[in-house]
Structure formats: structure tokens, C-alpha cells
Amino acid sequence: MNRGPVVLTIDEAEWLLDQIPPPDKDEDMLVKKLRSKLSELLTELRKGAEGTGK
């Protein structure tokens, strides 16, 4: 599979995550993987966001 970088702001990543329907037990594996990666991205983005304490 080919891969390439995608640059997103916190707002853009949150919006994308909101567009994916809530998890379902019969969820497609690709959707589960995408939701997981977006959640990880948000966690990392928030760690380095301006105005957050370290």
C-alpha cells in the first residue's frame, strides 16, 4: 500500500473523527483502524498545542 503524509489541524482532525459513525460491533476493520489513528493523532496534537501546560 502506498502512503503519504496528511497535515491536519486539531479542528480538522476532530471534524473528521466526528464524521465517522460511532463504533459498532460489526464495524469494518478499516473504519476501526481509521478511528483509532485519528484518535491517536488528536492525542498527539493536543499534547503540543499552544496554551497547554506540560
Side-chain angles (χ1 to χ4, degrees):
M1 179 191 311
N2 294 333
R3 295 180 181 201
V6 175
V7 179
L8 298 172
T9 65
I10 292 173
D11 291 336
E12 291 167 337
E14 286 175 343
W15 185 86
L16 279 175
L17 191 56
D18 288 344
Q19 300 309 304
I20 301 173
D24 185 86
K25 64 178 180 145
D26 298 325
E27 188 100 44
D28 183 57
M29 198 60 193
L30 179 62
V31 175
K32 289 179 185 177
K33 186 175 180 180
L34 179 58
R35 179 177 282 281
S36 173
K37 285 190 173 218
L38 283 171
S39 293
E40 289 174 26
L41 171 66
L42 277 172
T43 301
E44 290 301 313
L45 284 174
R46 287 180 177 140
K47 281 182 188 176
E50 290 181 20
T52 58
K54 289 189 175 190

